[in-house]
Amino acid sequence: MSTEHTTPTDILPDPEVVEVSDGIFAYIQHDGSWCLNNPAFIDVGDQVIAIDACANERRTRLFREAIERLSSNPVRTLVNTHAHMDHTYGNCLFSDDAVIIGHRNCRDQILREAPGQLERVSVMFPTVEWGDVTPVAPNVVFDDTMTLYAGDLELQLLYVSPAHTNTDAVVWIPERRILIAGDIIFNQGTPFALMGSVAGWRSALDRLKELPIETVIAGHGPVADASVLDEVDAYLEFVQESARSAYDAGVDPLEAARELDLGRFGEWTDEERIVGNLHRAYSELRGEAWGADIDMATAFGQMIEFNGGQPLRCLA
């Protein structure tokens, strides 16, 4: 199977602002595929707290304009849920006025990967116009947990990695029972564990399932209820089971992916991620540590092969 290559001229719905609770907004970028993430913002008290930026200058400016249409308060705080470019490339458009907060690993990864990163991602996603963006890392970091307040509303930042990456944090708002999940949750899109851990991600989901969650702002895809945690977990379990069978048979991840029946998961966007996920699951089957370094160039190359040799579909 392969994902049809689509160009940025394809028509997508405009980003949608969804107020999930009084003063708490999700900014949904349809269709939630590569680089179309969901930032969020909280307008409670005398300032706005934004959660994540966007992948490029144009989309981050649209996000800022959406905030400004709904609030006269300044954005004084930006939280990064993890280091990936689609959540952090727009940091530079907040950094003059806002404190940027992220996990220590998030800061370290952004600084480590910044040299030459725009050139590398332009090879992967050649149709994207990145605009005037400069990687900017969080200037306030935490290790396990951190508490912020929007007025009197408590926001708990919880480090849950390795999962999607080695840098993941979520924002839990206990009073409203809202989880701003970053890429711990892909809703109707294929989760991607290549840069993190399949087993660690499932462990993170087990931890989050103990919270009395009612509403989830996914990192990609529509706003959901707590059942979306089970959906992501079911996919990751499928990856583990599929990897075990193929690994024991000595089948390469690309060939294993081609032979798989994805079932209902085949209806989700970006199905080529199964190849990268199998590479990560194979690493864990070899007994390597969760989140250990693996051969990214081979994994991404095989994802493109699975995709019919076409660049990965990215409409940012």
Side-chain angles (χ1 to χ4, degrees):
M1 288 182 283
S2 64
T3 301
E4 183 180 353
H5 177 53
T6 316
T7 69
T9 57
D10 286 9
I11 297 174
L12 289 175
D14 290 337
E16 178 184 4
V17 178
V18 178
E19 188 169 15
V20 300
S21 182
D22 187 24
I24 302 176
F25 302 87
Y27 183 77
I28 307 299
Q29 297 195 95
H30 305 286
D31 62 356
S33 54
W34 287 103
C35 292
L36 295 178
N37 68 310
N38 298 332
F41 62 98
I42 299 158
D43 184 25
V44 177
D46 60 359
Q47 65 162 304
V48 171
I49 297 176
I51 314 297
D52 284 331
C54 302
N56 58 14
E57 179 185 4
R58 180 179 68 86
R59 286 189 171 274
T60 302
R61 290 195 184 281
L62 289 172
F63 174 44
R64 292 219 57 163
E65 289 170 8
I67 295 173
E68 291 163 4
R69 283 196 298 272
L70 290 168
S71 177
S72 59
N73 289 324
V75 179
R76 295 298 188 204
T77 306
L78 172 66
V79 176
N80 286 156
T81 60
H82 62 292
H84 276 174
M85 45 168 281
D86 53 328
H87 297 253
T88 65
Y89 255 26
N91 281 2
C92 58
L93 299 180
F94 291 89
S95 58
D96 286 347
D97 304 309
V99 170
I100 304 176
I101 300 173
H103 188 266
R104 186 178 305 278
N105 291 354
C106 178
R107 172 181 168 82
D108 291 348
Q109 183 172 322
I110 290 173
L111 293 175
R112 183 173 65 251
E113 295 184 350
Q117 186 178 41
L118 192 56
E119 291 78 7
R120 293 192 298 273
V121 297
S122 294
V123 171
M124 188 183 309
F125 302 123
T127 61
V128 177
E129 295 183 4
W130 301 102
D132 186 10
V133 287
T134 301
V136 173
N139 48 24
V140 174
V141 300
F142 67 99
D143 291 310
D144 296 318
T145 64
M146 184 176 187
T147 301
L148 304 177
Y149 282 89
D152 294 327
L153 185 66
E154 181 179 341
L155 281 62
Q156 297 178 6
L157 311 187
L158 310 175
Y159 179 60
V160 294
S161 283
H164 169 59
T165 69
N166 291 324
T167 69
D168 298 297
V170 300
V171 181
W172 168 236
I173 308 176
E175 181 181 319
R176 308 287 182 86
R177 300 191 174 190
I178 294 170
L179 181 71
I180 304 176
D183 283 2
I184 294 299
I185 298 298
F186 289 77
N187 185 16
Q188 301 175 23
T190 304
F192 191 42
L194 175 62
M195 299 173 184
S197 167
V198 180
W201 198 334
R202 296 196 70 196
S203 177
L205 290 170
D206 285 343
R207 175 183 172 189
L208 294 174
K209 288 177 189 179
E210 295 177 359
L211 301 174
I213 298 166
E214 293 182 356
T215 303
V216 178
I217 299 177
H220 296 257
V223 174
D225 60 29
S227 66
V228 74
L229 279 71
D230 291 323
E231 281 289 278
V232 173
D233 195 31
Y235 175 81
L236 296 171
E237 182 180 28
F238 168 78
V239 169
Q240 287 182 317
E241 292 175 350
S242 301
R244 167 60 72 183
S245 300
Y247 180 82
D248 289 346
V251 179
D252 175 83
L254 175 58
E255 293 309 312
R258 285 172 168 163
E259 295 170 5
L260 274 179
D261 178 1
L262 295 175
R264 63 189 176 90
F265 305 126
E267 299 175 2
W268 294 355
T269 59
D270 307 314
E271 65 185 53
E272 69 277 357
R273 292 175 183 165
I274 184 62
V275 181
N277 293 335
L278 289 173
H279 272 275
R280 177 53 66 184
Y282 276 35
S283 168
E284 293 170 5
L285 288 167
R286 291 192 294 267
E288 295 167 5
W290 291 358
D293 290 341
I294 60 176
D295 186 348
M296 295 291 172
T298 295
F300 272 101
Q302 290 191 347
M303 287 167 57
I304 290 171
E305 285 189 61
F306 183 90
N307 199 45
Q310 296 290 335
L312 304 179
R313 175 183 183 272
C314 182
L315 304 181

